[in-house]
Amino acid sequence: MTQPPTRRRVLAAGAGVAMAPVVASCADPSADPQLHQQDPPRPGTDVAPTTDVPVGGCQVFARFGTVVSQPVEGEFKAFNAECSHKGCFVGSSDEGHIPCRCHGSKFDLATGARLAGPAKAPLDPVAIKVENGRIVTA
Ligand code: FES
């Protein structure tokens, strides 16, 4: 005979479903679909307001597969967010470099050059411009 679901069983089932993506993303961050580019930037793509990018740091815009940095106030640079080591998305940071949390590579905010870690190559640059306080691909 089948018993009706109890509140505990329903909550346990929901917790299992909710935890699955977290476990998967910890096991292989590069496999997380939310970390992959969904809308490749074309010239003229409005990426974000400049206020979203910290001075001395960077912000990843996963939808566009792009990381935008602000090495010094008012100067913006952009790079492909896929790490040159094994393709994980780099992370957002206010720590003075662009970090890849998969294996610890670090990249220069201004040039995308490799600073540390297993990556051998720099991040690929993305051409951008600032229009009316917004980051726009060039
Ligand atoms: S994928 Fe970035 S350090 Fe390995």
Side-chain angles (χ1 to χ4, degrees), residues 37-56:
Q37 183 173 327
Q38 298 172 10
D39 190 8
R42 292 174 293 278
T45 298
D46 185 334
V47 176
T50 57
T51 52
D52 281 3
V53 183
V55 176

Side-chain angles (χ1 to χ4, degrees), residues 83-90 100-105 107 117-119:
C83 178
S84 60
H85 179 227
K86 292 200 183 250
C88 291
F89 264 21
V90 296
C100 179
R101 307 205 194 284
C102 279
H103 311 105
S105 289
F107 301 92

Side-chain angles (χ1 to χ4, degrees), residues 63-127:
R63 177 179 172 205
F64 302 114
T66 302
V67 57
V68 179
S69 64
Q70 188 174 186
V72 296
E73 189 167 356
E75 179 183 316
F76 296 91
K77 303 287 182 176
F79 306 94
N80 184 326
E82 290 185 14
C83 178
S84 60
H85 179 227
K86 292 200 183 250
C88 291
F89 264 21
V90 296
S92 300
S93 170
D94 60 359
E95 302 165 359
H97 62 269
I98 301 170
C100 179
R101 307 205 194 284
C102 279
H103 311 105
S105 289
K106 297 178 181 179
F107 301 92
D108 187 89
L109 288 174
T111 65
R114 175 200 171 274
L115 298 174
K120 302 282 187 242
L123 297 176
D124 292 331
V126 172

